[in-house]
């Protein structure tokens, strides 16, 4: 009974999680906190806050719910809420049921060592939480590795459908309108195909996590998940405890069946830091003697205390320190703090979304959840590969050739869970400088081939392109004072494959405060 | 009695009558066409309506051409192609006035059109442009379909036999399938093309616009118009954009006119004068006139002011 309730609860949270990601789409009129799940993770809140030396209250306040919940009820988040945990449970039923091995001694302490390493990197202001925090990891997987390929498949279906009916019936439009009218929102599956870089890598990581289930159930949650470790620390002695009655004949069904390996040695004991309160042991007990109840003190506390090795924790921290040091000797770094102004120049195509904080803080705050990339209406926000150095892997960059920064859109700022992209207004965009356009006269057909073009001028929303008659023809120029680097000119330039007008990151004003940016643009 | 005609005279007259009868029988269709053209010549080429609300102007302008029923027959499929290229509000005069659009839709409905579809391949994000321009509201209020052309599957390849540069292109299927295709441009200046009105608005019905710029914009616009022709053109000059076209925001002017025509060249030439330009200085208008698509010389155009 309780197990059924738990399962329903899990499904609801997973669905809620997916819906929140899907409705993070342009135009963002509902103003729902779609970054809710990422903000629920205390690991994200603490890690990003420590790494960037800023208290990110938005994220902290949400994650407090989970911390309080863990102190009272134990790791219920893992058992009842976590969408990745639910996915692992589902995949277990689907793929691994008959191949399940007997519960083995799990190397479950690893996750604490990982956690200590992650905190160490954060202390040295490097963001590594993104790699392993389940909320970031799973959000990113859905955004980068599921939405785009699912859409691609829908597109194939659509083409099949059109070829078959040879009419104007559009299954994707049809499906999108149906779902959106159901939700009362605009189609989140747009008919325009989206593309993301490194989708395959993201998928491979996710597939590995699923595949580890073949070793033991919830292998990831048991042994690797750093968020699980953190929540375990909060639930050293929760108020809600597992009770085993006197009828227990030590048949050990619960020990073998526990998906978290939280019932060690004898069925009468429970490792509170590992128990995810799934109620499986309550259901399965042949004697019906297992229950969960409120108890303030546990006489068995000592036997089940967290037995992590101090040496390994230090080793984990050492690896974290090495990680932090190694990514900070990336050559991109040296250029970044060259001179007095902390201007990043790791790559001239490193164009950050508007509202992004200064580069160092940005890298420390961004948890690479991918929500901004999901929300970007033009698909221009892409995970960085090498542009921001190793440290900035998967952080969002604007690639104007794929999509530009749309004038009336401010979603990326509104939904960033850690405020790496600070919220901004659409009117404010006139003085948020993210780069500068530059015309390559040897490629521009209005310059070298005397053709009538000026598509860049036609599309520019900020009046930053002007033209003058040179040698009897209209030729485009860029007014660098007005160009904010939105990239619409590069996106629409008819020259193939790379545009004759390109946006580079020079001229961005991220090292200035918002007020300074405004004053700069008005002068 | 003396013969009224001499034999020679009789043969001559009989020959004329016979030949003309045969000629009429053989070339009757063409003669009828000539008669029709002569009749059409008395019809105005441009019907310019001024003074009144935009919806009223639309009705007056079309009535000046002989009424909507001349173009929209009962049960015909109507496709309306306004200029909804940009995410801009109606005040900026970057998109077709929503009230002009509403006026046309209402007239088509009154004429008994079986289906009315509004289509545009916007430069900006389609749905967002539709919303900002006010067209989305008009369409939902009047219950007509509004389709954004951002999917290649909506297009079909066409041949352009008369094209000088463009030999083929991809045109929206909806336009090719429609019984009546109404082009509803707005008059604006245009950085690249000089002005944008009817001929340039046709660019929003094809798939690959970038190729036109690369291959010679003016000629491509004219070439395309030889193959895809609107049945009726309603030019929105209620408020026109004088600078920073086509996207704006720029200087606007309230002209308060709506112009109806079937001649894309004449209507564009008139739009050019409204925008303070010489029609012959606009490359795509002269190229279209050279294709024989219409009359560029406004002095030779019958203008009816209503």
């Amino acid at each position: 009974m309780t197990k059924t309730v738990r399962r329903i609860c899990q499904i609801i949270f997973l669905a809620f999680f997916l819906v929140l990601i899907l409705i993070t789409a342009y135009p963002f009129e509902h103003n729902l906190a779609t970054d809710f799940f990422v903000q629920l993770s205390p690991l994200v809140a603490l890690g990003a806050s420590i790494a960037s030396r800023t208290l990110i209250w938005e994220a902290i306040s949400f994650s407090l719910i989970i911390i309080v919940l863990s102190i009272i009820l134990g790791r219920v988040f893992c058992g009842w809420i976590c969408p990745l945990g639910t996915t692992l449970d589902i995949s277990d039923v689907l793929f691994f049921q008959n191949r399940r091995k007997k519960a083995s001694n799990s190397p479950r302490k690893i996750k604490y060592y990982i956690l200590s390493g992650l905190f160490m990197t954060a202390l040295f202001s490097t963001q590594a939480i993104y790699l392993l925090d389940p909320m970031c990891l799973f959000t990113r997987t859905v955004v980068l590795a599921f939405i785009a390929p699912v859409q691609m498949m829908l597109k194939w279906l659509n083409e099949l459908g059109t070829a078959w009916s040879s009419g104007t019936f559009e299954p994707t439009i049809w499906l999108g309108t149906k779902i959106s009218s159901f939700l009362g929102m605009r189609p989140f599956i747009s008919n325009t195909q989206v593309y993301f870089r490194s989708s395959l890598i993201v998928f491979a990581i996710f597939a590995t996590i699923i595949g580890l289930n073949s070793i033991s159930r919830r292998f990831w949650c048991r042994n690797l998940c750093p968020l699980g470790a953190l929540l375990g620390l909060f639930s050293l002695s929760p108020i809600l405890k597992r009770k085993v009655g006197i009828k227990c004949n030590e048949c050990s069904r619960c020990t073998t069946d526990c998906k978290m390996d939280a019932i060690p040695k004898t069925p009468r004991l429970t490792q509170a830091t590992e128990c995810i309160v799934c109620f499986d042991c309550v259901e399965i007990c042949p004697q019906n003697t297992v229950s969960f109840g409120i108890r303030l003190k546990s006489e068995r506390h000592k036997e089940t205390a967290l037995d992590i090795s101090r040496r390994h924790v230090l080793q984990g921290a050492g690896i974290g320190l090495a990680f932090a040091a190694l990514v900070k000797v990336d050559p991109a770094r040296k250029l970044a703090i060259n001179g007095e102004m902390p201007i990043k120049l790791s790559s001239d195509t490193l164009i950050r979304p508007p509202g992004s904080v200064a580069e160092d803080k940005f890298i420390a705050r961004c948890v690479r959840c991918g929500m901004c990339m999901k929300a970007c209406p033009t698909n221009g926000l892409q995970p960085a590969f090498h542009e921001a150095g190793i440290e900035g892997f998967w952080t969002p960059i604007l690639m104007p050739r794929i999509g530009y920064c749309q004038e009336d859109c401010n979603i990326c700022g509104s939904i960033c869970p850690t405020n790496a992209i600070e919220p901004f207004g659409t009117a404010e965009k006139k003085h948020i400088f993210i780069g500068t356009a530059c015309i390559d006269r040897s490629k521009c057909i209005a310059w070298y081939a005397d053709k009538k073009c000026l598509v860049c001028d036609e599309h520019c929303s900020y009046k930053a392109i002007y033209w003058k008659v040179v040698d009897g023809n209209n030729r485009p120029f860029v007014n660098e004072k007005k160009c904010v680097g939105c990239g619409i000119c590069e996106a629409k330039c008819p020259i193939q494959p790379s545009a004759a007008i390109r946006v580079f990151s020079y001229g961005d004003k991220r090292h200035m405060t918002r007020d300074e940016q405004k004053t700069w643009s008005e002068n | 009695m003396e013969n009224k005609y001499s034999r020679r005279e009789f043969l001559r007259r009989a020959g004329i009558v016979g030949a003309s009868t045969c000629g009429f029988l053989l070339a009757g269709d063409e003669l009828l066409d000539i008669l029709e053209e002569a009749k059409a010549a008395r019809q105005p080429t441009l019907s310019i309506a001024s003074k009144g609300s935009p919806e009223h102007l639309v009705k007056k302008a079309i009535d000046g051409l002989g009424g909507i029923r001349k173009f929209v027959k009962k049960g015909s499929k109507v496709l309306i192609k306004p200029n909804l290229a940009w995410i801009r509000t109606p005040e900026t005069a970057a998109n077709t006035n929503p009230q002009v659009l509403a006026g046309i839709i209402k007239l088509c409905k009154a004429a008994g059109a079986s289906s009315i579809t509004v289509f545009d391949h916007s430069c900006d994000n389609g749905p967002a442009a539709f919303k900002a321009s006010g067209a989305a509201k008009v369409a939902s209020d009047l219950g007509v379909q509004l389709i954004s052309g951002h999917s290649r599957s909506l297009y079909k390849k066409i041949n352009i036999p008369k094209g000088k540069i463009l030999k083929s292109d991809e045109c929206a299927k909806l336009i090719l399938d429609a019984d009546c295709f109404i082009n509803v441009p707005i008059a604006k200046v245009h950085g690249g093309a000089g002005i944008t009105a009817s001929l340039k608005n046709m660019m929003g019905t094809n798939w690959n616009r970038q190729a036109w710029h690369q291959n010679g914009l003016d000629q491509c616009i004219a070439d395309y118009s030889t193959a895809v022709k609107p049945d009726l053109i309603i030019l929105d000059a209620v408020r026109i954009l004088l600078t920073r076209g086509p996207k704006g925001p720029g200087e606007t002017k309230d002209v308060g006119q709506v112009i109806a025509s079937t001649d894309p060249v004449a209507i564009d030439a008139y739009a050019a004068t409204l925008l303070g330009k010489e029609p012959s200085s606009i490359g795509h208008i002269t190229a279209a006139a050279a294709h024989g698509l219409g009359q560029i010389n406004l002095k030779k155009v019958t203008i009816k002011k209503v």
Side-chain angles (χ1 to χ4, degrees), chain A residues 427-443:
Chain A
E428 210 183 339
K429 283 181 91 172
K430 262 180 265 165
H431 50 83
I432 302 185
F433 295 83
I434 57 174
T436 312
C438 182
I439 297 170
D440 182 346
R441 292 184 186 175
S442 65
K443 280 178 103 181

Side-chain angles (χ1 to χ4, degrees), chain A residues 40 125 132 183 193 258 264-265 304 352 391 397 461 481:
Chain A
L40 273 187
S125 57
L132 295 168
L183 292 167
Q193 172 64 41
C258 179
K265 296 170 206 161
T304 58
R352 294 294 187 195
E391 207 183 0
I397 55 166
S461 313
K481 200 80 180 168

Side-chain angles (χ1 to χ4, degrees), chain A residues 26 29 170 191 404 406-408 445 451-455 457-459 461 463 465 488 492-494 496, chain B residues 86-88 123-125 127-128 131 151 153-154 173 190-192 210 213-214 217-218 244 246-247 249:
Chain A
Y26 175 89
E29 279 155 352
E170 299 258 327
N191 198 42
Y404 53 94
Q406 196 168 301
E407 190 191 357
D408 69 330
I445 50 172
K451 283 188 174 154
K452 281 203 175 181
C453 187
L454 299 176
V455 172
D457 172 48
E458 193 178 318
H459 282 82
S461 313
K463 304 186 184 182
I465 308 277
I488 195 167
K492 304 284 180 177
C493 178
Q496 304 288 345
Chain B
W86 311 104
I87 308 178
R88 288 272 184 252
C123 299
D124 277 338
N125 176 308
K131 197 175 166 206
S151 162
S153 56
L154 292 170
K173 276 182 213 161
H190 194 284
Q210 295 183 327
H213 284 283
Q214 278 172 307
L217 182 63
D218 291 336
R244 290 291 316 160
K247 189 175 187 175

Side-chain angles (χ1 to χ4, degrees), chain A residues 337-356:
Chain A
I337 316 169
N338 196 2
E340 281 177 28
M341 271 200 295
I343 302 171
K344 53 87 217 177
L345 266 181
S346 38
S347 165
D348 57 359
T349 51
L350 178 58
I351 303 160
R352 294 294 187 195
S356 298

Side-chain angles (χ1 to χ4, degrees), chain B residues 171-193:
Chain B
C171 177
K173 276 182 213 161
L174 288 162
I175 285 170
L176 301 172
D177 295 345
D179 298 321
C180 177
F181 165 33
I182 306 177
N183 190 8
V184 193
I186 180 170
K188 290 185 284 184
V189 295
H190 194 284

